[in-house]
Amino acid sequence: CPPSVDLFQVKELWIVEGIFDAIALLHNGISAVSAMSSNAFPEESLKALLRDCTAREAKLPKLVWALDNEPGAHGYTRRWVRMARELGFVCEAAQIPQRDGRKADWNDLHQRWAFIDDEAKRSDQVASDIKQARYQGALLIAENAAEKALLMYDWNKRGEFHLGFTSRLYWFKLDMEKFNRAM
């Protein structure tokens, strides 16, 4: 945890793999800590945070699991979200979309953002990338196919589409007539 992050004051705490990813997010106004690996659940640190927040009557921060977007880390993200929720934390996830077949992490995004000279454009790009990462993270930790389908519908408003969930393929179709009858 960087010394600039006051764990008792943050409303949202991003948990990333590496220290450079945490520093990159800090440079962009996001409170972040490093787990040092995707396969390390910070159980003792979270229990200590829970204990200290309770003792100080401080509100627990929402945890955003923002591990690298790779198959191994996907399983850990789902598992860590479940385990942290069992401890009493509210959790979300964030996943950077991997474009052009190139792996990108939070430090890579920070470096891309640094090349945008116009402050307003940079701020807009950061907000857009974070919004996209939160969406991808929400899809990753969706509890069931219906939840994932609704997230996808809310994002793109298409009436029909396919989606994969737990090695199965589903078809979503919004039938407004049936919906209106049900309402």
Side-chain angles (χ1 to χ4, degrees):
C1 180
S4 63
V5 176
D6 184 348
L7 296 175
F8 305 111
Q9 297 297 319
V10 298
K11 293 180 181 171
E12 190 172 83
L13 183 64
W14 288 48
I15 301 174
V16 297
E17 285 188 35
I19 57 173
F20 293 112
D21 294 325
I23 292 167
L25 288 172
L26 284 170
H27 279 295
N28 291 282
I30 297 172
S31 297
V33 296
S34 170
M36 301 301 286
S37 172
S38 66
N39 65 355
F41 181 68
E43 184 173 14
E44 294 306 315
S45 297
L46 292 177
K47 285 181 178 178
L49 178 59
L50 182 62
R51 187 176 50 250
D52 293 345
C53 283
T54 302
R56 293 177 181 223
E57 297 181 4
K59 188 172 179 183
L60 281 176
K62 177 192 301 179
L63 302 180
V64 178
W65 295 89
L67 306 178
D68 289 353
N69 191 350
E70 51 198 21
H74 292 172
Y76 287 121
T77 298
R78 287 187 208 97
R79 186 173 167 194
W80 300 159
V81 164
R82 182 177 35 79
M83 291 173 68
R85 285 177 175 164
E86 288 171 2
L87 290 174
F89 288 91
V90 172
C91 295
E92 291 181 3
Q95 293 281 287
I96 300 169
Q98 304 299 298
R99 296 185 176 104
D100 304 324
R102 295 182 186 176
K103 183 182 179 303
D105 60 20
W106 298 105
N107 187 45
D108 296 324
L109 277 187
H110 169 66
Q111 291 177 38
R112 284 186 211 158
W113 297 332
F115 283 104
I116 303 172
D117 291 329
D118 183 293
E119 185 60 38
K121 287 181 181 177
R122 180 179 349 178
S123 180
D124 288 346
Q125 186 63 52
V126 170
S128 174
D129 287 344
I130 295 296
K131 182 178 179 182
Q132 176 73 23
R134 284 179 178 275
Y135 167 67
Q136 294 296 326
L139 293 178
L140 176 65
I141 65 170
E143 296 286 327
N144 53 53
E147 181 182 337
K148 185 173 180 178
L150 290 173
L151 288 165
M152 293 172 73
Y153 175 77
D154 285 343
W155 183 262
N156 202 3
K157 303 293 187 220
R158 291 179 297 150
E160 292 186 56
F161 54 87
H162 72 277
L163 66 133
F165 186 81
T166 62
S167 301
R168 291 187 175 156
L169 188 61
Y170 293 87
W171 187 259
F172 174 87
K173 180 178 180 181
L174 179 62
D175 185 332
M176 287 307 291
E177 189 176 307
K178 286 183 181 178
F179 176 77
N180 288 333
R181 274 190 304 222
M183 293 306 285

